[in-house]
Amino acid sequence: MIHYTDAESRTLRTAVFGVMVLVSHADPGPVIQERHAGLRALTELSPDLRVVLHAARVDLSGIPEEQLEERVLEALRTSAEVLAAKSPADAAGFPDAVEAICHEVAAADGQVAEVETAVIEKVRAALKG
């Protein structure tokens, strides 16, 4: 099991759970269905990362709405760097797993809106650095 500092763990949780929030907020829909879809999609991540994500709750409520997107995208960029340094295997699969999570949340109501696709493109760009 790879050890992540508290700050690294918080960043990973902000990144992964934050993308769920960004996609969900882009096109308001059935929040409960979107939340469950995102949580089910966490299986796309490695078992080690799932342990980190479930170790503590992430609270995004303290981030002002107008800052949320940039904070989450920055957490994605930082997460990619942390994973590249500590777990190249996790780093290799992280972008696809996060994108799959985004798609699951977006499609939870049976359709993917243009605004959701735009958010997913921003997520993809952040993951590329």
Side-chain angles (χ1 to χ4, degrees), residues 40-57:
R40 280 192 308 273
L42 291 179
T43 60
E44 299 286 331
L45 295 165
S46 74
D48 282 348
L49 284 178
R50 289 196 307 266
V51 168
V52 171
L53 295 175
H54 293 302
R57 289 183 50 98

Side-chain angles (χ1 to χ4, degrees), residues 47-115:
D48 282 348
L49 284 178
R50 289 196 307 266
V51 168
V52 171
L53 295 175
H54 293 302
R57 289 183 50 98
V58 64
D59 183 7
L60 303 174
S61 65
I63 302 172
E65 187 72 30
E66 63 276 3
Q67 295 176 14
L68 183 63
E69 181 178 292
E70 187 48 45
R71 294 272 292 275
V72 170
L73 296 177
E74 182 58 35
L76 282 170
R77 290 187 283 273
T78 302
S79 292
E81 293 169 6
V82 167
L83 292 173
K86 290 199 169 189
S87 177
D90 283 337
F94 189 68
D96 289 340
V98 169
E99 193 168 331
I101 292 167
C102 289
H103 284 290
E104 287 297 319
V105 172
D109 63 355
Q111 61 186 359
V112 178
E114 278 185 46
V115 291

Side-chain angles (χ1 to χ4, degrees), residues 18-43:
V19 296
M20 292 182 202
V21 171
L22 290 180
V23 174
S24 182
H25 285 189
D27 182 39
V31 175
I32 299 297
Q33 286 177 306
E34 291 172 341
R35 182 177 300 138
H36 286 286
L39 293 174
R40 280 192 308 273
L42 291 179
T43 60

